[in-house]
Amino acid sequence: MARNQEKAQAMLNRFLQYKKDQLYGPKGKRPAFANECNNLGEAERWRRQIVKEISKEVTEIQNASLGEHRIRDLNDHINKLLREKKHWERQIKLLGGPDYTRGVPNIRDGRGAPMGAGGYFYFGAARELPGVRELFEKQQLENVKRRTRGDLHKLVDAQYYGYGDEDDGYLVKLEAKVETKARKRAIDKWNAQNEKSKVRKITKTYDGSLSDATNKEGGEVLFKAHVPLPSDEELKAAILAKKKAELMAKYAS
């Protein structure tokens, strides 16, 4: 009875493998170059295989007892797989598949710090290797010294613009004292200037000279005539003569 069950299970396994080969193609060696694959399904399968290998080796490299050489080899191979995964993702996009690179964050540790520089990353126990720890400490010091424009914008808030300076009332009192002194100083200056130059009404004769009453007063002359001005009687006589001339020209002809 058990033998029949084993035969049935083996037949089911062969059938499932046949359907899987029809869907994804037969198993084989992964191409060395992603551009050699022109089938979208196969490219998706090779990418999933690389992701599984990366996950397996990242879990393995967490063990610090593996030894320095083994840890360095694992870290190098993980970086190689990451580069290979990017090539397959680019080929999948060219074949009309989804864009896996969109919205993918940078590789960082649990504290949000970068895990490498220049396209090379350190995972697990590789971060504690000789020379690697000093590299990360140096990067942290450089990041503290050099702030980006975005970091500076994060420091700008309502307190930066002084919106909360008047909440305690202390600054308002100081500004009131300074404002009172500045206003008094401006009023005294304006009064001193007006005492030196008084505004007065100027009366002039037809020849442009000042009258006797005006000459006796002091102050600045606000208006000065450069040509003789006619008097009121002269203006009336000129208007009357012009009207007579118009009437004569109208009725005499």
Side-chain angles (χ1 to χ4, degrees):
M1 188 67 179
R3 180 65 178 170
N4 294 335
Q5 290 180 352
E6 291 177 359
K7 288 182 179 179
Q9 186 65 34
M11 187 177 296
L12 177 61
N13 291 337
R14 287 195 298 271
F15 174 75
L16 293 177
Q17 185 63 38
Y18 171 75
K19 299 295 290 183
K20 188 176 181 180
D21 292 342
Q22 280 187 338
L23 181 61
Y24 299 109
K27 284 187 177 180
K29 186 178 180 180
R30 187 167 67 232
F33 301 99
N35 54 8
E36 295 178 357
C37 179
N38 297 321
N39 188 302
L40 180 59
E42 292 183 3
E44 292 271 7
R45 179 162 65 93
W46 297 130
R47 180 187 175 277
R48 286 195 297 271
Q49 185 183 36
I50 293 174
V51 171
K52 290 180 181 178
E53 293 178 5
I54 293 174
S55 177
K56 180 181 177 181
E57 295 192 2
V58 168
T59 304
E60 184 180 357
I61 203 174
Q62 305 299 325
N63 187 5
S65 62
L66 294 175
E68 181 179 348
H69 297 290
R70 176 58 179 165
I71 291 174
R72 289 186 183 276
D73 292 341
L74 277 174
N75 197 76
D76 291 340
H77 194 247
I78 291 173
N79 280 274
K80 179 182 176 182
L81 291 175
L82 287 174
R83 291 192 296 268
E84 191 174 352
K85 183 173 75 72
K86 288 183 179 180
H87 296 327
W88 283 106
E89 289 174 350
R90 190 182 302 113
Q91 182 67 13
I92 289 172
K93 184 179 178 181
L94 292 175
L95 294 175
D99 186 8
Y100 291 102
T101 60
R102 179 180 299 177
V104 178
N106 296 329
I107 299 178
R108 295 179 177 271
D109 59 5
R111 295 172 297 177
M115 299 178 62
Y120 191 89
F121 303 95
Y122 295 91
F123 300 89
R127 296 172 59 86
E128 304 298 329
L129 292 175
V132 179
R133 184 185 302 175
E134 290 79 4
L135 176 64
F136 282 104
E137 291 177 355
K138 183 179 179 181
Q139 287 183 355
Q140 290 178 358
L141 291 176
E142 291 179 355
N143 292 334
V144 171
K145 292 179 180 178
R146 291 185 298 175
R147 290 183 177 180
T148 61
R149 187 180 295 272
D151 296 335
L152 295 177
H153 279 298
K154 291 179 182 178
L155 301 176
V156 177
D157 53 4
Q159 295 291 336
Y160 175 82
Y161 291 104
Y163 289 122
D165 294 344
E166 300 178 357
D167 294 344
D168 54 356
Y170 179 72
L171 184 61
V172 177
K173 296 179 181 178
L174 294 179
E175 289 180 348
K177 293 180 181 179
V178 175
E179 182 181 358
T180 303
K181 293 180 180 178
R183 184 178 298 174
K184 184 177 182 300
R185 188 163 53 249
I187 292 174
D188 294 341
K189 183 179 179 181
W190 185 85
N191 290 333
Q193 291 178 351
N194 288 335
E195 287 178 357
K196 294 180 180 179
S197 57
K198 296 181 179 179
V199 179
R200 60 186 177 82
K201 183 178 180 182
I202 304 298
T203 58
K204 291 183 177 290
T205 59
Y206 70 95
D207 57 352
S209 60
L210 296 175
S211 63
D212 296 338
T214 308
N215 285 329
K216 294 178 182 179
E217 298 177 0
E220 183 182 358
V221 178
L222 300 182
F223 176 76
K224 182 178 180 181
H226 297 280
V227 295
L229 296 178
S231 61
D232 293 340
E233 291 76 7
E234 292 177 345
L235 289 175
K236 292 179 181 180
I239 294 173
L240 182 59
K242 185 177 181 181
K243 289 183 177 181
K244 288 181 177 181
E246 291 177 356
L247 292 174
M248 292 293 293
K250 182 178 180 180
Y251 294 106
S253 59

